[in-house]
C-alpha cells in the first residue's frame, strides 16, 4: 500500500514510519507540514482565504527523508512567486508538486501557478492540490488547469471540498488526467467516486498527522470492491509517480513488490 498524501517534518518522520509499519503502508508521498497553524488553516479553508505569502521548509523535509527509501516528497510550492531557480533545484529532488490554495490563496489559473506546472511537465511529475470554495481556488478551476496541461497528471486532494462533495467527481469526470484522492471524504463519497470515475482514477491518501491512516484504510475497505483495492491502495499513485530514489527498484517500497493490499 502506498500513501499518496501525508505531511511531515524532520521531527515527525519517526512517528510516520512507525505508523506506516503498524498499518502495513509500504511507502508514502509527503508534503512539508506546519506552514501555518492548524487553527489558521482551518479558518482559511472555511472562509476561502485570503491566504498569505509563506514558504514551507521543503529543504528540511528532503534532507530528513533522503536516506529513507520508503518516503518521497512533493514540493510544496508558494505561488506568491513564479518558480525560480531555487524552486527548480528543489523540485528536481521531488516526486511531484503540491499547491495549497487554502494556505496561499492563489487561484489555479494564475500564471505563477502555471510556472510550477510547466516545471512538472518538463520533469514528468504529477501535481496535487487541495481545492476550496467555488471561486479561483475551486475544483472547477483546477480541472481547467488540468485541461490546459493534458500531459501532466493532476491529483484532486481530500475528495474535493472534503467530507460530502459529490460535485467534485463530476467536475473532473471528463478531465481524465485528474485523479481523486480520498482523505477526508465520507465512504459514501468514495463509493460514488469509484462509480463516477472508475477505480483507476481513485487514490488512497491519509493526510497524516491530521488523520490516522487506519481511518482512511478502514473507510476504503468498506467503500471499494475488493478487486479494485490494489489499484486504489497503491497501483494508481505508482502509475503516475517515480520517486527518483536509487533504491526504489531494489526495495520495492514504491514499486509494488513490498506492499500488500
Ligand atoms: Zn494535506
Amino acid at each position: 500500500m502506498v500513501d499518496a498524501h501525508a505531511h511531515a517534518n524532520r521531527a515527525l518522520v519517526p512517528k510516520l514510519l512507525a505508523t506506516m509499519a503498524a498499518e502495513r503502508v509500504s511507502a508514502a508521498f509527503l508534503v512539508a507540514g506546519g506552514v501555518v497553524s492548524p487553527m489558521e488553516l482551518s479558518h482559511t479553508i472555511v472562509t476561502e482565504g485570503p491566504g498569505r505569502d509563506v514558504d514551507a521548509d521543503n529543504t528540511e523535509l528532503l534532507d530528513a527523508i533522503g536516506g529513507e527509501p520508503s518516503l518521497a516528497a512533493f514540493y510544496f510550492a508558494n505561488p506568491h512567486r513564479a518558480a525560480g531557480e531555487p524552486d527548480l533545484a528543489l523540485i528536481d529532488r521531488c516526486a511531484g508538486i503540491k499547491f495549497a490554495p487554502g494556505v496561499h490563496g492563489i487561484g489555479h489559473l494564475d500564471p505563477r501557478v502555471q510556472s510550477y506546472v510547466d516545471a512538472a511537465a518538463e520533469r514528468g511529475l504529477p501535481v496535487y492540490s487541495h481545492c476550496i470554495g467555488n471561486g479561483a481556488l475551486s475544483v472547477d478551476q483546477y480541472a481547467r488547469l488540468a485541461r490546459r496541461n493534458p500531459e501532466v497528471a493532476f491529483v484532486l486532494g481530500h475528495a474535493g471540498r472534503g467530507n460530502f462533495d459529490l460535485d467534485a467527481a463530476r467536475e473532473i469526470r471528463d478531465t481524465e488526467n485528474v485523479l481523486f484522492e480520498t482523505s477526508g471524504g465520507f465512504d459514501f463519497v468514495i463509493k460514488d467516486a469509484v462509480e463516477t470515475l472508475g477505480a483507476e482514477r481513485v487514490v488512497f491518501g491519509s493526510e497524516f498527522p491530521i488523520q490516522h491512516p487506519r481511518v482512511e484504510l478502514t473507510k476504503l475497505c468498506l467503500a471499494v470492491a475488493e478487486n479494485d483495492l490494489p489499484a486504489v491502495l497503491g497501483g494508481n499513485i505508482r502509475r503516475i509517480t517515480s520517486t527518483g530514489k536509487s533504491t526504489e527498484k531494489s526495495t520495492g517500497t514504491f514499486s509494488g513488490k513490498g506492499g500488500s493490499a
Side-chain angles (χ1 to χ4, degrees), residues 167-230:
D167 287 2
R170 283 146 190 86
E171 288 173 285
I172 64 169
R173 179 166 47 196
D174 297 331
T175 309
E176 291 185 1
N177 55 323
V178 185
L179 279 69
F180 182 99
E181 184 266 309
T182 56
S183 61
F186 291 148
D187 66 283
F188 184 92
V189 174
I190 309 311
K191 212 174 290 178
D192 175 78
V194 172
E195 284 166 15
T196 305
L197 304 169
E200 69 281 357
R201 289 177 62 188
V202 177
V203 299
F204 155 58
S206 71
E207 184 64 359
F208 174 93
I210 298 290
Q211 179 91 303
H212 196 289
R214 194 183 308 165
V215 177
E216 293 298 326
L217 290 168
T218 302
K219 198 176 78 184
L220 290 172
C221 288
L222 293 168
V224 179
E226 207 171 326
N227 282 351
D228 292 330
L229 277 174

Side-chain angles (χ1 to χ4, degrees), residues 5-7 31 41 98 128 130 158 181 183 207-208 210:
H5 183 72
H7 294 271
V31 178
L41 181 59
K98 192 250 175 145
Y128 179 106
H130 176 187
H158 305 315
E181 184 266 309
S183 61
E207 184 64 359
F208 174 93
I210 298 290

Side-chain angles (χ1 to χ4, degrees), residues 23-100:
E23 303 304 324
R24 297 190 301 138
V25 174
S26 60
F29 291 98
L30 307 181
V31 178
V35 181
V36 297
S37 72
M39 185 55 74
E40 180 179 349
L41 181 59
S42 164
H43 187 71
T44 57
I45 288 171
V46 170
T47 61
E48 292 183 45
R52 61 189 174 95
D53 183 355
V54 59
D55 272 291
D57 197 340
N58 289 287
T59 305
E60 185 213 41
L61 177 64
L62 283 163
D63 289 348
I65 66 174
E68 178 44 65
S70 66
L71 302 177
F74 271 43
Y75 183 73
F76 195 161
N78 175 3
H80 281 271
R81 61 167 184 277
E85 282 307 321
D87 301 294
L88 298 174
L90 290 169
I91 289 169
D92 282 336
R93 299 168 61 191
C94 288
I97 295 176
K98 192 250 175 145
F99 297 110

